[in-house]
Amino acid sequence: MGTLLEVKDLRTQFFTQDGVVNAVNGISYTVDEGETLAIVGESGCGKSVGVMSLIRLIPMPPGKIVGGEVWFDGRDLVKLDDDEIRQVRGNRVAMIFQDPMTSLNPVLTIGRQISESLVLHLGMDKQQARQRSAELLELVGIPSAANRLDDYPHQFSGGMRQRVMIAMGLSCNPQLLIADEPTTALDVTIQAQIVDLVKKLKNEIGMAIIWITHDLGVVAGLAERVIVMYAGFIVEESEVGDLYADPRHPYTLGLLGSLPRLDSDGTERLISIEGVPPDLMDLPKGCPFYARCTYRIDKCRDENPKLEVVSRNHKVACWVDVRGVAA
């Protein structure tokens, strides 16, 4: 498999009346063709801003991509003009958002909203687009799909609305699908259905996926590789199995420790990460996790570690070998 997307030192800031918010602070990673990459971290760590920057959905102003490159299909998406990026967005790269009720237009029918990208990007006429829209709704498991095209978003349940969003995302057969916490607003049963649906569609269509989540429990059966973000930085990157078996950053240890385990005897207490994330308008000089870290040393306060390779396909930004300390 070849590399589909390459992100190099991407930096995004928001210029507000109170100061400059350093939302994304020099992240670099790749996504291969057909791969599923999960990006995890707590709210405000830069996950969503990072992926929205890829396809230039950051509101400008106050937001601005202040540095870095995003290479996709031989072009740097950061340097494309508005018309050029619109040809990529929704066509070659599609995005599913967290809350389908706010992403769907409440006064337009589902059929019209799906048809829009088919007409715009694939040049279909209205009849062709309507037929394809029905096929897409059927693909994502909506019963009586052809009869639901003239319904409005409020006539669908939350899980069905998210299926509609997936159908819209898949409408132009994208090479890359970005899913920004698509199961957060759904109950656990529907979450599992949506995750299974995306896995099934990925295998059928062969697209790559970037899956954004704060829930490491969802990641295990979905992704091949995981990036852990904190305060706008990537602090760990690994193949999914290695991350669970051998986490190397204290923040990752905290995230995994807060998850209930099926193999537990029920006597172990879940771990909580003490403290709060740093102020993104006033980042510390050293490691951003320093104030909350139980493994910290003096060097962590003064110098922020770079992401370094620690084993095959495993990178960590930490001055301390947590395995040695734990031992």
Side-chain angles (χ1 to χ4, degrees), residues 227-289:
I227 284 173
V228 181
M229 287 190 67
Y230 185 78
F233 296 92
I234 294 176
V235 296
E236 187 159 6
E237 179 182 341
S238 169
E239 292 179 351
V240 66
D242 201 20
L243 188 87
Y244 286 87
D246 186 25
R248 304 290 289 272
H249 194 279
Y251 179 60
T252 310
L253 286 169
L255 291 178
L256 289 170
S258 67
L259 286 175
R261 297 177 62 98
L262 291 175
D263 59 357
S264 170
D265 59 8
T267 60
E268 297 179 18
R269 292 179 62 87
L270 298 180
I271 296 171
S272 62
I273 304 175
E274 300 294 333
V276 296
D279 183 353
L280 295 180
M281 288 192 287
D282 186 24
L283 286 171
K285 180 173 67 170
C287 174
F289 193 61

Side-chain angles (χ1 to χ4, degrees), residues 26 28 228 233-238 242 246-249 299 303-321 323:
S28 300
V228 181
F233 296 92
I234 294 176
V235 296
E236 187 159 6
E237 179 182 341
S238 169
D242 201 20
D246 186 25
R248 304 290 289 272
H249 194 279
K299 188 175 184 179
E303 190 176 347
N304 191 11
K306 293 181 179 179
L307 200 64
E308 302 284 357
V309 176
V310 292
S311 64
R312 180 179 174 272
N313 298 326
H314 199 153
K315 300 177 184 178
V316 178
C318 187
W319 294 120
V320 180
D321 184 350
R323 296 183 304 174

Side-chain angles (χ1 to χ4, degrees), residues 3-46:
T3 299
L4 178 66
L5 176 79
E6 184 175 11
V7 181
K8 297 181 179 179
D9 197 29
L10 183 65
R11 299 173 183 272
T12 302
Q13 297 177 341
F14 290 87
F15 297 85
T16 71
Q17 291 181 334
D18 298 322
V20 178
V21 178
N22 301 286
V24 176
N25 300 303
I27 63 174
S28 300
Y29 61 90
T30 61
V31 180
D32 289 340
E33 296 172 353
E35 179 185 30
T36 299
L37 171 71
I39 302 179
V40 303
E42 61 195 310
S43 297
C45 73

Side-chain angles (χ1 to χ4, degrees), residues 147-190:
N147 297 328
R148 302 302 306 267
L149 291 174
D150 293 322
D151 288 347
Y152 291 86
H154 72 271
Q155 294 174 273
F156 290 76
S157 67
M160 288 297 182
R161 283 196 292 266
Q162 197 58 278
R163 288 171 185 265
V164 170
M165 289 298 299
I166 294 171
M168 292 175 67
L170 298 178
S171 59
C172 295
N173 297 317
Q175 293 172 279
L176 174 64
L177 179 69
I178 300 171
D180 185 9
E181 302 207 44
T183 61
T184 297
L186 308 174
D187 65 58
V188 290
T189 305
I190 306 301

Side-chain angles (χ1 to χ4, degrees), residues 18-227:
D18 298 322
V20 178
V21 178
N22 301 286
V24 176
N25 300 303
I27 63 174
S28 300
Y29 61 90
T30 61
V31 180
D32 289 340
E33 296 172 353
E35 179 185 30
T36 299
L37 171 71
I39 302 179
V40 303
E42 61 195 310
S43 297
C45 73
K47 308 184 301 294
S48 295
V49 172
V51 294
M52 290 174 72
S53 298
L54 303 183
I55 50 178
R56 308 250 299 276
L57 284 176
I58 298 297
M60 303 183 189
K64 185 178 181 182
I65 300 171
V66 296
E69 302 170 358
V70 179
W71 288 94
F72 179 82
D73 196 25
R75 295 189 294 175
D76 182 2
L77 301 186
V78 173
K79 294 180 179 175
L80 299 186
D81 62 33
D82 290 345
D83 288 336
E84 289 173 326
I85 194 65
R86 271 195 290 267
Q87 291 302 314
V88 174
R89 194 166 52 212
N91 184 14
R92 309 290 298 284
V93 181
M95 188 162 182
I96 306 168
F97 294 94
Q98 182 171 338
D99 183 0
M101 199 60 215
T102 57
S103 303
L104 293 168
N105 190 323
V107 300
L108 297 179
T109 65
I110 293 299
R112 181 171 173 185
Q113 294 186 63
I114 299 175
S115 297
E116 188 175 25
S117 60
L118 296 169
V119 173
L120 176 64
H121 293 299
L122 302 184
M124 292 185 180
D125 60 34
K126 289 185 178 180
Q127 186 58 39
Q128 290 172 326
R130 185 176 176 85
Q131 182 177 341
R132 178 58 180 158
S133 298
E135 293 171 358
L136 287 163
L137 290 184
E138 193 171 326
L139 181 69
V140 297
I142 292 182
S144 305
N147 297 328
R148 302 302 306 267
L149 291 174
D150 293 322
D151 288 347
Y152 291 86
H154 72 271
Q155 294 174 273
F156 290 76
S157 67
M160 288 297 182
R161 283 196 292 266
Q162 197 58 278
R163 288 171 185 265
V164 170
M165 289 298 299
I166 294 171
M168 292 175 67
L170 298 178
S171 59
C172 295
N173 297 317
Q175 293 172 279
L176 174 64
L177 179 69
I178 300 171
D180 185 9
E181 302 207 44
T183 61
T184 297
L186 308 174
D187 65 58
V188 290
T189 305
I190 306 301
Q191 281 186 25
Q193 292 176 5
I194 295 297
V195 170
D196 287 343
L197 172 65
V198 171
K199 287 165 64 176
K200 171 177 169 285
L201 293 172
K202 178 207 167 185
N203 292 333
E204 290 179 2
I205 298 170
M207 62 191 171
I209 297 173
I210 298 177
W211 187 281
I212 312 300
T213 183
H214 62 271
D215 184 358
L216 273 168
V218 172
V219 169
L222 180 68
E224 286 93 53
R225 199 156 49 90
V226 186
I227 284 173

